[in-house]
């Protein structure tokens, strides 16, 4: 029997919002050569071992959206190399989600995507471990999940909008008048987890930036939304990652070789990992596995010599 090769789709926080205990389901989603999906649950104590079998990244296919909760995933017919982000040129060109960003500027969209966009949406302000904040939008059905996958340390919803067009107009307004960007890079999020601010400080910054966004929204005077003040609940698996501690960036390139570690916490796609034989947590940005081809196995990452220099 040969080992199964998998294309890594990434880390997904697709379960329901956590209960008071904070438990949430998060998985690393893999796809075998026949197209079957396999999900590896990521928890505190998950052992993750793998070998990267080929250089470079492959296309992750595209989506056709049929309604608020209905969408089809379409595999890349060519299993081509990724050229535009995580897609090949063909999949990028036919992906419905590409059209989302032009919808509020009057762009035309297919009926299914329109039904998706016309559901209620939330505008949020999220703050990350390094203190950087952004404004963003979440569809009603992804209200909690969107922030979990982003790896927010603290976040507040600042408006409830009737649909996805209005919420994107509000997002642009908050960027323009409250100075909040719409993106924080994944590398900045990982660097933040390596040296986080105190969670209480992150929360205080978030409260301040959210208040600034609300002040802008309160005087905007357009219709189809209401200003809200509602806190997002961080999943428990992300709590340990948000607390300052002595940590190191993962010393190996996830683009090649063998890797093996135990995950102890997860913020978005950024894991804290324990390497065999080291008492330190390493920060592993699992987002950089997206699009790579791997085999699972009993591997262990080499502990770097950096450890001695700490004592
Ligand atoms: Zn493709």
């Amino acid at each position: 029997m040969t080992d199964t090769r998998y294309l890594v789709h990434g880390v997904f926080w697709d379960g329901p919002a956590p209960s008071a205990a904070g438990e949430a389901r998060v998985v690393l989603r893999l796809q075998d050569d026949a197209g079957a999906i396999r999900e590896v649950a990521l928890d505190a104590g998950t052992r993750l071992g793998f070998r990267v079998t080929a250089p470079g990244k492959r296309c992750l296919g595209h989506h056709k959206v049929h309604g608020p909760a209905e969408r089809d995933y379409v595999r890349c017919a060519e299993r081509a190399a990724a050229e535009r982000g995580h897609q090949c040129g063909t999949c990028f060109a036919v992906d419905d989600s590409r059209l989302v960003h032009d919808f509020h500027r009057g762009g035309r969209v297919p009926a299914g995507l329109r039904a998706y966009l016309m559901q209620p949406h939330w505008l949020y302000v999220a703050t990350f471990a390094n203190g950087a904040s952004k404004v963003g939008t979440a569809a009603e059905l992804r209200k909690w999940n969107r922030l979990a996958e982003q790896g927010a340390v603290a976040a507040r919803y600042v408006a409830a909008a009737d649909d996805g067009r209005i919420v994107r107009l509000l997002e642009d307004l908050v960027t323009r008048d409250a100075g909040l960007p719409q993106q924080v890079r994944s590398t900045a999020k990982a660097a933040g987890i390596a040296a986080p601010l105190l969670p209480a400080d992150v929360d205080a910054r978030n409260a301040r930036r959210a208040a600034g966004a609300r002040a802008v929204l309160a005087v905007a005077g357009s219709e189809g939304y209401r200003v809200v003040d509602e806190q997002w609940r961080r999943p428990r698996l992300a709590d340990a990652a948000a607390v300052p501690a002595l940590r190191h960036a993962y010393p190996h390139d996830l683009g090649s070789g063998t890797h093996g570690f135990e995950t102890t916490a997860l913020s978005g796609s950024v894991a804290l990992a324990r390497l065999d034989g080291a008492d330190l947590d390493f920060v592993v940005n699992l987002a950089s596995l997206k699009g790579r081809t791997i085999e699972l196995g009993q591997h262990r990452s080499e502990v770097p010599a950096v450890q001695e220099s700490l004592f």
Side-chain angles (χ1 to χ4, degrees):
M1 198 184 116
T2 56
D3 284 330
T4 309
R5 278 185 314 175
Y6 295 102
L7 176 62
V8 181
H9 279 253
V11 174
F12 288 81
W13 296 79
D14 279 349
S19 62
E23 303 292 353
R25 177 177 155 77
V26 55
V27 300
L28 184 67
R29 189 171 295 160
L30 310 172
Q31 183 177 37
D32 70 20
D33 282 344
I37 297 292
R38 171 170 176 179
E39 293 187 332
V40 177
L42 296 173
D43 277 311
T46 296
R47 177 90 210 166
L48 194 60
F50 55 91
R51 181 174 79 86
V52 179
T53 62
K57 295 188 177 185
R58 279 166 52 199
C59 174
L60 293 179
H62 69 277
H63 286 93
K64 282 287 166 210
V65 180
H66 304 297
E70 300 83 37
R71 58 174 57 203
D72 283 337
Y73 165 68
V74 186
R75 271 183 102 184
C76 180
E78 306 294 331
R79 295 208 239 154
E83 291 161 351
R84 313 275 311 249
H86 292 286
Q87 295 173 303
C88 70
T90 309
C91 289
F92 176 82
V94 297
D95 194 348
D96 276 350
S97 56
R98 185 177 59 91
L99 304 169
V100 166
H101 307 287
D102 291 325
F103 180 59
H104 66 295
R105 302 189 192 99
R108 292 171 63 87
V109 298
L113 182 59
R114 188 179 170 79
Y116 171 83
L117 288 168
M118 293 314 283
Q119 71 179 305
H121 278 67
W122 297 85
L123 189 72
Y124 66 76
V125 173
T127 305
F128 299 91
N130 64 353
S133 298
K134 61 161 274 185
V135 61
T137 73
E140 173 72 24
L141 290 168
R142 304 263 308 146
K143 179 182 177 184
W144 179 82
N145 309 76
R146 184 79 188 117
L147 284 151
E149 72 193 15
Q150 295 261 328
V153 168
R156 285 170 173 79
Y157 302 98
V158 293
D162 289 352
D163 61 52
R165 187 185 62 86
I166 292 166
V167 83
R168 284 180 180 78
L169 293 169
L170 299 177
E171 184 185 29
D172 286 351
L173 181 73
V174 166
T175 294
R176 196 190 70 194
D177 292 352
L180 278 162
Q182 297 178 8
Q183 205 162 20
V184 171
R185 294 180 63 86
S186 126
T187 46
K189 291 176 188 174
I193 295 296
L197 301 176
L198 285 168
D201 292 343
V202 174
D203 187 58
R205 279 179 197 232
N206 181 257
R208 225 168 28 240
R209 299 310 302 264
R214 262 183 237 109
V216 167
L217 296 167
V219 299
S222 45
E223 291 183 352
Y225 73 94
R226 63 194 161 83
V227 177
V228 300
D229 185 355
E230 186 183 328
Q231 199 151 5
W232 171 77
R233 186 199 293 272
R234 187 172 64 225
R236 208 176 64 168
L237 196 55
D239 284 348
V243 177
L246 188 56
R247 288 171 193 155
H248 285 276
Y250 185 64
H252 308 298
D253 175 12
L254 287 175
S256 64
T258 59
H259 306 265
F261 42 77
E262 182 188 307
T263 58
T264 59
L266 193 68
S267 170
S269 294
V270 180
L272 291 188
R274 197 49 72 98
L275 273 49
D276 293 349
D279 290 331
L280 280 172
D281 275 328
F282 289 85
V283 178
V284 184
N285 189 359
L286 295 176
S288 59
L289 272 184
K290 225 173 138 173
R292 299 201 188 277
T293 307
I294 64 168
E295 281 170 4
L296 298 176
Q298 304 290 326
H299 302 290
R300 45 167 62 190
S301 300
E302 198 98 359
V303 178
V306 66
Q307 199 177 3
E308 284 105 62
S309 66
L310 296 171
F311 301 103

